[in-house]
Amino acid sequence: MKKIVVSMFLLVFVLCLSGCFNDDGYGFVKPSVLLKSDLSDLIKPTHTDIYKREELGFCYFNSTKEEFEKYAEELYNYLLKKNYPYFGYSGEILNSLFGAAGTYELIPSSNLSEHYNEHFLHEKLVNINYEFVFGKETKHSNELLNDVIVRLTLKADGTFDNGYNTSLEVRNNQNLMVKFIYIPKNIEYYEIEDAFNSGLLNSDELQEIADVFNGIKRPEYIYNWGHEIAVQKKHLESLINTESDARIEDIDVSFYFDNKNGYVVRVSDEFTDYPDVIKEIIIDNIVITYSGPKPVFIRVIDK
């Protein structure tokens, strides 16, 4: 008898649990999406309790402009309290394959207004939205891992096809092809000599760098796309002063060495001639031989 009671209890429990995650087409954002996005306690708008749930992470409801703005601020404050190490919004697209969803720069934010966007069609305002992108960690390329997008949209010229004028979308990288790269904003250039004198490089590391440039060994480093773009942007800041047509694509960054403090790179661009002559950097009786752009040390302040 006890076995039957226990079995019935387990059956009821399983049915109740599965019911919690079944999408009946009505209600707030799909619980399974919120669970994957670590947003199970995502706050709901206080001005309504009528929602239309759709597939993936969409739900719809109605709002006035004032209610929309209030809920956007509540969402922002809620997400800030999560203390995500990487929190901001999508910037320029860095890479796209045949026009498909691609890789975007993650731009850290400091206030709600930076998350605001307006979308026009034929000079008519179609909708407005607030987009929040966040994650807890990055991999070596500085690509955001387990990233999540929360996007709140108000249809400015009427309603969506389902009759509601507001949508809330929660997407995570388990159901979204878009990628985000975090690009450090604070990097510093050092001459190799200055990096050594500042303690950013030691003698053993200098010898390793010399061996790479002298062709004795192959470079060993962790390639980081986010750091490469940071160096390109830094170089472009000065290049644009003399070459107004310069673009980030005109700048090439070659990596040769990395340690916990930064990278040894060479930076070249399409507008500068680099003489094909052999030069030397001599530090602590260690000779680094190179030709073309002079190698420099890049210190990454924010990682």
Side-chain angles (χ1 to χ4, degrees), residues 47 63-73 154:
H47 65 270
S63 308
T64 65
K65 178 66 162 55
E66 291 72 22
E67 291 167 341
F68 173 81
E69 294 290 348
K70 179 184 176 185
Y71 184 45
E73 184 174 3
L154 178 67

Side-chain angles (χ1 to χ4, degrees), residues 55 194 212 266:
E55 280 304 311
D194 294 335
V212 168
R266 288 200 295 174

Side-chain angles (χ1 to χ4, degrees), residues 77-289:
N77 291 328
Y78 160 83
L79 293 171
L80 280 184
K81 290 179 181 178
K82 293 284 187 178
N83 293 317
Y84 292 102
Y86 303 94
F87 179 73
Y89 55 96
S90 58
E92 64 180 299
I93 188 167
L94 303 172
N95 184 39
S96 180
L97 183 61
F98 306 119
T103 302
Y104 289 80
E105 176 183 357
L106 172 69
I107 301 181
S109 67
S110 56
N111 60 70
L112 175 61
S113 64
E114 293 176 308
H115 298 263
Y116 178 85
N117 287 289
E118 294 182 339
H119 298 272
F120 292 84
L121 181 63
H122 305 305
E123 299 184 355
K124 179 183 179 182
L125 181 63
V126 176
N127 57 52
I128 59 177
N129 68 46
Y130 286 90
E131 179 191 74
F132 308 100
V133 180
F134 46 92
K136 293 182 178 179
E137 59 181 325
T138 62
K139 62 182 182 181
H140 291 319
S141 64
N142 265 23
E143 178 184 322
L144 208 61
L145 293 175
N146 301 315
D147 51 281
V148 179
I149 299 176
V150 173
R151 186 179 291 112
L152 181 66
T153 303
L154 178 67
K155 192 75 171 172
D157 62 346
T159 65
F160 296 100
D161 292 341
N162 57 20
Y164 294 88
N165 70 353
T166 309
S167 72
L168 178 64
E169 176 188 7
V170 179
R171 304 288 295 272
N172 54 65
N173 68 359
Q174 298 181 56
N175 60 21
L176 186 64
M177 291 177 63
V178 172
K179 296 180 181 179
F180 296 93
I181 295 289
Y182 175 68
I183 302 171
K185 296 296 180 291
N186 298 316
I187 63 174
E188 293 179 346
Y189 276 66
Y190 284 78
E191 298 288 340
I192 300 293
E193 299 91 333
D194 294 335
F196 175 74
N197 293 331
S198 300
L200 300 174
L201 290 169
N202 60 40
S203 295
D204 291 339
E205 291 170 333
L206 275 182
Q207 187 60 63
E208 182 177 346
I209 295 166
D211 290 345
V212 168
F213 276 93
N214 296 338
I216 297 174
K217 65 174 293 185
R218 296 174 61 88
E220 297 179 6
Y221 60 87
I222 298 174
Y223 173 74
N224 189 308
W225 189 20
H227 291 170
E228 176 181 352
I229 297 172
V231 176
Q232 287 176 312
K233 288 192 170 190
K234 185 78 170 180
H235 187 80
L236 185 61
E237 288 177 6
S238 57
L239 182 62
I240 203 77
N241 293 327
T242 55
E243 303 293 343
S244 59
D245 295 331
R247 301 173 303 165
I248 198 168
E249 294 85 359
D250 299 321
I251 300 167
D252 181 69
V253 181
S254 299
F255 283 69
Y256 295 92
F257 171 87
D258 70 326
N259 64 9
K260 64 181 181 180
N261 297 313
Y263 297 86
V264 172
V265 303
R266 288 200 295 174
V267 187
S268 60
D269 60 72
E270 297 292 332
F271 302 91
T272 306
D273 290 327
Y274 301 96
D276 187 17
V277 296
I278 302 299
K279 297 182 179 180
E280 292 181 344
I281 300 173
I282 303 175
I283 309 169
D284 199 28
N285 295 320
I286 298 171
V287 181
I288 301 173
T289 303

